[in-house]
Short mmCIF file of all heavy atoms in Angstrom, two decimals:
data_model
loop_
_atom_site.label_atom_id
_atom_site.label_comp_id
_atom_site.label_asym_id
_atom_site.label_seq_id
_atom_site.Cartn_x
_atom_site.Cartn_y
_atom_site.Cartn_z
N PRO A 1 -8.34 13.19 2.11
CA PRO A 1 -9.26 12.11 2.54
C PRO A 1 -9.02 10.84 1.75
O PRO A 1 -8.49 10.90 0.61
CB PRO A 1 -10.65 12.69 2.22
CG PRO A 1 -10.38 13.59 1.08
CD PRO A 1 -9.07 14.23 1.29
N PRO A 2 -9.34 9.66 2.31
CA PRO A 2 -9.20 8.43 1.54
C PRO A 2 -10.08 8.44 0.30
O PRO A 2 -11.13 9.07 0.27
CB PRO A 2 -9.72 7.37 2.55
CG PRO A 2 -9.56 8.00 3.88
CD PRO A 2 -9.82 9.46 3.65
N GLN A 3 -9.58 7.81 -0.73
CA GLN A 3 -10.35 7.70 -1.96
C GLN A 3 -10.77 6.27 -2.18
O GLN A 3 -10.01 5.34 -1.90
CB GLN A 3 -9.51 8.15 -3.16
CG GLN A 3 -9.11 9.60 -3.14
CD GLN A 3 -8.16 9.93 -4.28
OE1 GLN A 3 -6.98 9.60 -4.24
NE2 GLN A 3 -8.66 10.54 -5.33
N LYS A 4 -11.96 6.05 -2.71
CA LYS A 4 -12.44 4.70 -2.96
C LYS A 4 -12.61 4.52 -4.48
O LYS A 4 -13.18 5.40 -5.15
CB LYS A 4 -13.73 4.41 -2.24
CG LYS A 4 -13.54 4.29 -0.72
CD LYS A 4 -14.78 3.72 -0.08
CE LYS A 4 -14.55 3.59 1.45
NZ LYS A 4 -13.54 2.60 1.77
N ILE A 5 -12.13 3.41 -4.96
CA ILE A 5 -12.23 3.06 -6.41
C ILE A 5 -12.92 1.72 -6.50
O ILE A 5 -12.39 0.71 -6.00
CB ILE A 5 -10.86 3.01 -7.08
CG1 ILE A 5 -10.07 4.33 -6.87
CG2 ILE A 5 -10.99 2.73 -8.59
CD1 ILE A 5 -8.63 4.25 -7.29
N THR A 6 -14.08 1.67 -7.14
CA THR A 6 -14.78 0.38 -7.29
C THR A 6 -14.37 -0.30 -8.58
O THR A 6 -13.99 0.36 -9.54
CB THR A 6 -16.31 0.60 -7.31
OG1 THR A 6 -16.64 1.38 -8.45
CG2 THR A 6 -16.73 1.34 -6.01
N ALA A 7 -14.44 -1.62 -8.55
CA ALA A 7 -14.13 -2.35 -9.75
C ALA A 7 -15.08 -1.98 -10.89
O ALA A 7 -14.68 -1.93 -12.06
CB ALA A 7 -14.24 -3.86 -9.47
N LYS A 8 -16.33 -1.73 -10.54
CA LYS A 8 -17.32 -1.33 -11.52
C LYS A 8 -16.91 -0.05 -12.27
O LYS A 8 -17.07 0.04 -13.49
CB LYS A 8 -18.66 -1.15 -10.83
CG LYS A 8 -19.80 -0.84 -11.81
CD LYS A 8 -21.14 -0.70 -11.07
CE LYS A 8 -22.27 -0.37 -12.05
NZ LYS A 8 -23.58 -0.21 -11.36
N SER A 9 -16.34 0.90 -11.52
CA SER A 9 -15.97 2.17 -12.14
C SER A 9 -14.79 1.95 -13.12
O SER A 9 -14.57 2.79 -13.97
CB SER A 9 -15.52 3.17 -11.06
OG SER A 9 -14.31 2.80 -10.46
N LEU A 10 -14.10 0.83 -12.99
CA LEU A 10 -12.95 0.52 -13.89
C LEU A 10 -13.40 -0.40 -15.00
O LEU A 10 -12.56 -0.87 -15.79
CB LEU A 10 -11.82 -0.07 -13.12
CG LEU A 10 -11.22 0.79 -12.00
CD1 LEU A 10 -10.20 0.01 -11.19
CD2 LEU A 10 -10.57 2.06 -12.61
N GLY A 11 -14.66 -0.74 -15.03
CA GLY A 11 -15.19 -1.61 -16.09
C GLY A 11 -14.93 -3.11 -15.85
O GLY A 11 -15.04 -3.92 -16.78
N VAL A 12 -14.65 -3.47 -14.59
CA VAL A 12 -14.42 -4.90 -14.30
C VAL A 12 -15.73 -5.60 -14.01
O VAL A 12 -16.51 -5.16 -13.13
CB VAL A 12 -13.53 -5.04 -13.06
CG1 VAL A 12 -13.34 -6.51 -12.66
CG2 VAL A 12 -12.14 -4.41 -13.34
N THR A 13 -16.02 -6.66 -14.75
CA THR A 13 -17.23 -7.41 -14.58
C THR A 13 -17.00 -8.89 -14.26
O THR A 13 -17.96 -9.63 -14.08
CB THR A 13 -18.09 -7.32 -15.84
OG1 THR A 13 -17.32 -7.81 -16.96
CG2 THR A 13 -18.50 -5.87 -16.12
N SER A 14 -15.75 -9.33 -14.18
CA SER A 14 -15.45 -10.74 -14.01
C SER A 14 -15.81 -11.21 -12.60
O SER A 14 -15.70 -10.46 -11.64
CB SER A 14 -13.97 -11.00 -14.28
OG SER A 14 -13.19 -10.19 -13.43
N SER A 15 -16.30 -12.45 -12.50
CA SER A 15 -16.64 -13.04 -11.21
C SER A 15 -16.72 -14.55 -11.38
O SER A 15 -16.84 -15.09 -12.52
CB SER A 15 -17.95 -12.52 -10.69
OG SER A 15 -19.03 -12.89 -11.54
N ALA A 16 -16.69 -15.26 -10.26
CA ALA A 16 -16.81 -16.71 -10.28
C ALA A 16 -17.08 -17.19 -8.83
O ALA A 16 -16.70 -16.49 -7.89
CB ALA A 16 -15.55 -17.39 -10.83
N ASP A 17 -17.70 -18.30 -8.68
CA ASP A 17 -17.90 -18.86 -7.35
C ASP A 17 -16.59 -19.47 -6.91
O ASP A 17 -15.83 -20.06 -7.65
CB ASP A 17 -18.97 -19.96 -7.43
CG ASP A 17 -20.37 -19.43 -7.75
OD1 ASP A 17 -20.59 -18.24 -7.39
OD2 ASP A 17 -21.16 -20.13 -8.34
N GLU A 18 -16.33 -19.34 -5.59
CA GLU A 18 -15.13 -19.89 -5.03
C GLU A 18 -15.13 -21.40 -5.14
O GLU A 18 -16.20 -22.04 -5.17
CB GLU A 18 -14.96 -19.49 -3.56
CG GLU A 18 -14.68 -18.00 -3.38
CD GLU A 18 -14.21 -17.65 -1.97
OE1 GLU A 18 -14.08 -18.57 -1.14
OE2 GLU A 18 -14.05 -16.47 -1.68
N PRO A 19 -13.95 -22.05 -5.24
CA PRO A 19 -13.88 -23.50 -5.42
C PRO A 19 -14.62 -24.22 -4.30
O PRO A 19 -14.59 -23.83 -3.14
CB PRO A 19 -12.38 -23.77 -5.37
CG PRO A 19 -11.74 -22.50 -5.73
CD PRO A 19 -12.60 -21.44 -5.20
N SER A 20 -15.26 -25.30 -4.65
CA SER A 20 -15.97 -26.13 -3.68
C SER A 20 -15.56 -27.58 -3.77
O SER A 20 -14.86 -27.94 -4.72
CB SER A 20 -17.50 -26.01 -3.87
OG SER A 20 -17.87 -26.47 -5.19
N LYS A 21 -15.90 -28.33 -2.77
CA LYS A 21 -15.56 -29.79 -2.70
C LYS A 21 -14.06 -29.99 -2.90
O LYS A 21 -13.64 -30.85 -3.66
CB LYS A 21 -16.36 -30.55 -3.74
CG LYS A 21 -17.85 -30.48 -3.51
CD LYS A 21 -18.61 -31.29 -4.53
CE LYS A 21 -20.11 -31.23 -4.31
NZ LYS A 21 -20.90 -31.99 -5.30
N MET A 22 -13.26 -29.17 -2.15
CA MET A 22 -11.81 -29.32 -2.20
C MET A 22 -11.38 -30.40 -1.24
O MET A 22 -11.97 -30.59 -0.16
CB MET A 22 -11.16 -27.97 -1.81
CG MET A 22 -11.53 -26.83 -2.77
SD MET A 22 -10.61 -26.89 -4.31
CE MET A 22 -9.01 -26.29 -3.75
N TYR A 23 -10.29 -31.09 -1.58
CA TYR A 23 -9.79 -32.15 -0.73
C TYR A 23 -8.69 -31.69 0.25
O TYR A 23 -8.46 -32.31 1.27
CB TYR A 23 -9.23 -33.30 -1.59
CG TYR A 23 -10.25 -33.97 -2.47
CD1 TYR A 23 -10.31 -33.71 -3.83
CD2 TYR A 23 -11.19 -34.86 -1.94
CE1 TYR A 23 -11.23 -34.34 -4.66
CE2 TYR A 23 -12.10 -35.46 -2.75
CZ TYR A 23 -12.15 -35.18 -4.11
OH TYR A 23 -13.09 -35.80 -4.89
N SER A 24 -8.08 -30.60 -0.07
CA SER A 24 -6.91 -30.13 0.70
C SER A 24 -7.32 -29.65 2.07
O SER A 24 -8.35 -28.96 2.23
CB SER A 24 -6.21 -28.97 -0.02
OG SER A 24 -5.98 -29.30 -1.37
N ARG A 25 -6.48 -29.96 3.06
CA ARG A 25 -6.73 -29.35 4.39
C ARG A 25 -6.45 -27.84 4.30
O ARG A 25 -7.20 -27.07 4.92
CB ARG A 25 -5.82 -30.00 5.43
CG ARG A 25 -5.92 -29.28 6.76
CD ARG A 25 -5.01 -29.79 7.84
NE ARG A 25 -5.01 -28.90 8.98
CZ ARG A 25 -4.29 -29.10 10.11
NH1 ARG A 25 -3.50 -30.15 10.17
NH2 ARG A 25 -4.34 -28.21 11.07
N ALA A 26 -5.42 -27.43 3.59
CA ALA A 26 -5.07 -26.01 3.44
C ALA A 26 -4.71 -25.78 2.00
O ALA A 26 -4.06 -26.57 1.35
CB ALA A 26 -3.89 -25.66 4.34
N TYR A 27 -5.20 -24.63 1.48
CA TYR A 27 -4.84 -24.27 0.10
C TYR A 27 -4.78 -22.75 -0.01
O TYR A 27 -5.33 -22.02 0.83
CB TYR A 27 -5.84 -24.85 -0.90
CG TYR A 27 -7.27 -24.45 -0.76
CD1 TYR A 27 -7.73 -23.19 -1.18
CD2 TYR A 27 -8.18 -25.31 -0.20
CE1 TYR A 27 -9.03 -22.82 -1.07
CE2 TYR A 27 -9.52 -24.97 -0.06
CZ TYR A 27 -9.96 -23.73 -0.49
OH TYR A 27 -11.30 -23.36 -0.37
N CYS A 28 -4.17 -22.30 -1.10
CA CYS A 28 -4.02 -20.87 -1.32
C CYS A 28 -3.79 -20.60 -2.83
O CYS A 28 -3.15 -21.45 -3.49
CB CYS A 28 -2.88 -20.29 -0.52
SG CYS A 28 -2.77 -18.49 -0.52
N LEU A 29 -4.27 -19.48 -3.30
CA LEU A 29 -4.05 -19.02 -4.65
C LEU A 29 -3.64 -17.58 -4.57
O LEU A 29 -4.34 -16.76 -3.94
CB LEU A 29 -5.28 -19.18 -5.54
CG LEU A 29 -5.15 -18.66 -6.96
CD1 LEU A 29 -4.27 -19.61 -7.79
CD2 LEU A 29 -6.54 -18.54 -7.62
N ILE A 30 -2.52 -17.20 -5.20
CA ILE A 30 -2.09 -15.79 -5.17
C ILE A 30 -1.76 -15.28 -6.56
O ILE A 30 -1.54 -16.05 -7.49
CB ILE A 30 -0.81 -15.62 -4.27
CG1 ILE A 30 0.41 -16.26 -4.92
CG2 ILE A 30 -1.05 -16.14 -2.85
CD1 ILE A 30 1.73 -15.88 -4.25
N ASP A 31 -1.78 -13.98 -6.67
CA ASP A 31 -1.28 -13.25 -7.86
C ASP A 31 0.24 -13.19 -7.69
O ASP A 31 0.74 -12.58 -6.73
CB ASP A 31 -1.90 -11.88 -7.90
CG ASP A 31 -1.25 -10.97 -8.92
OD1 ASP A 31 -0.54 -11.47 -9.84
OD2 ASP A 31 -1.43 -9.75 -8.83
N ALA A 32 0.98 -13.82 -8.60
CA ALA A 32 2.44 -13.89 -8.45
C ALA A 32 3.10 -12.53 -8.49
O ALA A 32 4.22 -12.37 -7.94
CB ALA A 32 3.01 -14.79 -9.53
N ASP A 33 2.49 -11.54 -9.12
CA ASP A 33 3.11 -10.20 -9.22
C ASP A 33 3.08 -9.42 -7.90
O ASP A 33 3.87 -8.56 -7.67
CB ASP A 33 2.45 -9.40 -10.32
CG ASP A 33 2.77 -9.95 -11.71
OD1 ASP A 33 3.82 -10.58 -11.86
OD2 ASP A 33 1.92 -9.79 -12.60
N SER A 34 2.10 -9.74 -7.04
CA SER A 34 1.92 -8.96 -5.82
C SER A 34 1.84 -9.80 -4.57
O SER A 34 1.89 -9.27 -3.45
CB SER A 34 0.63 -8.12 -5.91
OG SER A 34 -0.51 -8.99 -5.97
N ASN A 35 1.74 -11.15 -4.74
CA ASN A 35 1.52 -12.03 -3.60
C ASN A 35 0.16 -11.81 -2.91
O ASN A 35 -0.04 -12.23 -1.78
CB ASN A 35 2.66 -11.98 -2.58
CG ASN A 35 3.93 -12.63 -3.05
OD1 ASN A 35 3.99 -13.11 -4.19
ND2 ASN A 35 4.94 -12.65 -2.23
N ARG A 36 -0.76 -11.14 -3.63
CA ARG A 36 -2.09 -10.96 -3.06
C ARG A 36 -2.86 -12.27 -3.07
O ARG A 36 -2.86 -13.01 -4.07
CB ARG A 36 -2.85 -9.92 -3.87
CG ARG A 36 -4.27 -9.74 -3.41
CD ARG A 36 -5.09 -8.95 -4.43
NE ARG A 36 -6.52 -9.02 -4.10
CZ ARG A 36 -7.49 -8.69 -4.95
NH1 ARG A 36 -7.17 -8.27 -6.16
NH2 ARG A 36 -8.75 -8.79 -4.61
N VAL A 37 -3.49 -12.58 -1.92
CA VAL A 37 -4.29 -13.81 -1.81
C VAL A 37 -5.62 -13.62 -2.55
O VAL A 37 -6.34 -12.67 -2.27
CB VAL A 37 -4.53 -14.17 -0.34
CG1 VAL A 37 -5.46 -15.38 -0.24
CG2 VAL A 37 -3.22 -14.46 0.37
N LEU A 38 -5.91 -14.54 -3.47
CA LEU A 38 -7.18 -14.44 -4.25
C LEU A 38 -8.24 -15.36 -3.62
O LEU A 38 -9.42 -15.04 -3.70
CB LEU A 38 -6.91 -14.82 -5.69
CG LEU A 38 -5.84 -13.99 -6.40
CD1 LEU A 38 -5.69 -14.45 -7.86
CD2 LEU A 38 -6.17 -12.51 -6.35
N VAL A 39 -7.83 -16.47 -3.09
CA VAL A 39 -8.73 -17.36 -2.39
C VAL A 39 -7.85 -18.31 -1.51
O VAL A 39 -6.75 -18.62 -1.88
CB VAL A 39 -9.63 -18.17 -3.36
CG1 VAL A 39 -8.77 -19.16 -4.19
CG2 VAL A 39 -10.74 -18.89 -2.61
N SER A 40 -8.40 -18.73 -0.38
CA SER A 40 -7.57 -19.55 0.49
C SER A 40 -8.43 -20.26 1.54
O SER A 40 -9.59 -19.89 1.81
CB SER A 40 -6.52 -18.71 1.22
OG SER A 40 -7.14 -17.81 2.13
N LYS A 41 -7.82 -21.24 2.17
CA LYS A 41 -8.40 -21.95 3.31
C LYS A 41 -7.25 -22.38 4.24
O LYS A 41 -6.28 -22.99 3.76
CB LYS A 41 -9.22 -23.16 2.87
CG LYS A 41 -9.70 -24.02 4.05
CD LYS A 41 -10.26 -25.36 3.56
CE LYS A 41 -10.58 -26.28 4.76
NZ LYS A 41 -11.02 -27.62 4.28
N GLU A 42 -7.33 -22.00 5.47
CA GLU A 42 -6.25 -22.31 6.46
C GLU A 42 -4.88 -21.96 5.88
O GLU A 42 -3.91 -22.71 6.10
CB GLU A 42 -6.32 -23.76 6.89
CG GLU A 42 -7.46 -24.10 7.81
CD GLU A 42 -7.34 -25.44 8.45
OE1 GLU A 42 -6.22 -25.77 8.98
OE2 GLU A 42 -8.32 -26.20 8.39
N ALA A 43 -4.79 -20.84 5.19
CA ALA A 43 -3.56 -20.51 4.47
C ALA A 43 -2.43 -20.13 5.40
O ALA A 43 -1.25 -20.07 4.95
CB ALA A 43 -3.80 -19.39 3.50
N ASP A 44 -2.70 -19.84 6.69
CA ASP A 44 -1.65 -19.46 7.62
C ASP A 44 -1.35 -20.58 8.65
O ASP A 44 -0.65 -20.33 9.63
CB ASP A 44 -2.05 -18.18 8.32
CG ASP A 44 -2.15 -17.01 7.41
OD1 ASP A 44 -1.36 -16.92 6.46
OD2 ASP A 44 -3.08 -16.17 7.59
N THR A 45 -1.88 -21.77 8.43
CA THR A 45 -1.64 -22.88 9.33
C THR A 45 -0.30 -23.56 8.98
O THR A 45 -0.07 -23.89 7.82
CB THR A 45 -2.77 -23.90 9.22
OG1 THR A 45 -4.02 -23.28 9.55
CG2 THR A 45 -2.54 -25.07 10.18
N ARG A 46 0.54 -23.72 9.95
CA ARG A 46 1.84 -24.37 9.74
C ARG A 46 1.64 -25.86 9.55
O ARG A 46 1.08 -26.55 10.39
CB ARG A 46 2.79 -24.12 10.92
CG ARG A 46 3.21 -22.66 11.05
CD ARG A 46 4.11 -22.47 12.29
NE ARG A 46 4.62 -21.12 12.35
CZ ARG A 46 5.41 -20.65 13.30
NH1 ARG A 46 5.86 -21.52 14.25
NH2 ARG A 46 5.84 -19.39 13.32
#
């Protein structure tokens, strides 16, 4: 069966509000090691 692992169970407590009052039409932030998107807006718009 699928297993679920919560951040809390790993002792992760970090958090922050997503950026606000951004000027960019499109933006993105990724983890360079995995290319995982951490926050974005219109990140797939050409």
Side-chain angles (χ1 to χ4, degrees):
Q3 296 175 283
K4 291 193 179 294
I5 305 170
T6 64
K8 183 178 180 180
S9 70
L10 299 174
V12 176
T13 59
S14 56
S15 66
D17 293 331
E18 291 191 4
S20 61
K21 297 181 180 179
M22 298 283 284
Y23 296 106
S24 312
R25 175 182 168 180
Y27 60 78
C28 188
L29 177 73
I30 70 169
D31 169 18
D33 291 333
S34 65
N35 286 3
R36 176 192 168 197
V37 176
L38 304 181
V39 67
S40 66
K41 173 191 172 185
E42 287 193 47
D44 296 322
T45 301
R46 293 178 175 181

